[in-house]
Amino acid sequence: MTMINLEELARFLVKAKKRTYAGDGREITSERLGFKELEFIEGDWNYRDSYVGFFSAPGQEVVRFRGEPVWVMSYSGGMTPKFRDDINFAKETFGFLKKALSLITEDAPYRGPETFSEDSKTYYQNSYTGDITNFRGSEKIVHTEGRIRGIVFAQDYIGGLVLPK
């Protein structure tokens, strides 16, 4: 088994995530029927984000080093039930989510920052426990003013290193 440099993994994750979903990366041919997949490759590293759905879109991110899976994160959630029939609002919400996710850091290379807001009425919140080797967390987008109030998007995630035999 190849020992993975965790700092190098964190740097790669940040770069990969900024260049795929958060950065409107190009979609590739999916390994799984019905899924959308995004990929980023750099040297020996390969990142693939695979998800299905729109309003609710569970998925999985896999990092391979020299072809072997070394890190995985699974996520599930999406628009809260009250907002699952408004495609334009969902697109707006996902645009805001991508801005938050583009602020990912090497010290927590899972999703977005602990908090993010562009105005006083909409904010992103992310909380997690653990480290890059074993973690879990949840994120949400909340509207506090206007006709839309409350949690509009919520998602949980879990992941860490892959440890083969």
Side-chain angles (χ1 to χ4, degrees), residues 3-154:
M3 293 302 295
I4 297 300
N5 178 314
L6 298 180
E7 290 177 1
E8 196 175 319
L9 172 60
R11 278 192 295 277
F12 175 74
L13 277 168
V14 168
K15 194 179 289 187
K17 289 179 179 232
K18 286 183 176 183
R19 294 190 179 155
T20 52
Y21 183 77
D24 292 322
R26 69 175 180 88
E27 200 172 313
I28 61 168
T29 301
S30 176
E31 294 175 340
R32 298 189 282 182
L33 186 62
F35 281 71
K36 292 182 181 178
E37 295 193 357
L38 303 166
E39 184 176 54
F40 177 75
I41 299 171
E42 184 176 74
D44 290 331
W45 296 95
N46 174 285
Y47 166 91
R48 187 175 287 234
D49 181 9
S50 178
Y51 64 97
V52 63
F54 179 76
F55 290 107
S56 179
Q60 184 178 62
E61 300 173 12
V62 177
V63 173
R64 290 179 175 88
F65 183 74
R66 297 182 181 151
E68 296 298 320
V70 296
W71 185 92
V72 174
M73 182 180 83
S74 297
Y75 54 87
S76 184
M79 298 300 290
T80 53
K82 182 178 177 183
F83 303 104
R84 287 188 183 155
D85 62 351
D86 188 337
I87 194 163
N88 291 327
F89 181 63
K91 286 180 180 180
E92 179 184 314
T93 300
F94 296 149
F96 178 77
L97 175 64
K98 287 179 180 187
K99 289 178 185 178
L101 297 180
S102 73
L103 301 173
I104 187 172
T105 62
E106 289 179 21
D107 62 323
Y110 323 120
R111 298 294 288 173
E114 287 185 40
T115 60
F116 170 71
S117 183
E118 290 184 314
D119 56 39
S120 63
K121 67 177 184 162
T122 307
Y123 69 91
Y124 169 89
Q125 189 172 26
N126 180 26
S127 62
Y128 61 88
T129 58
D131 62 25
I132 195 169
T133 67
N134 183 16
F135 60 90
R136 67 177 53 242
S138 62
E139 63 186 343
K140 62 185 173 180
I141 296 174
V142 180
H143 280 253
T144 60
E145 298 177 11
R147 67 175 180 83
I148 299 172
R149 290 176 182 247
I151 299 171
V152 299
F153 172 90

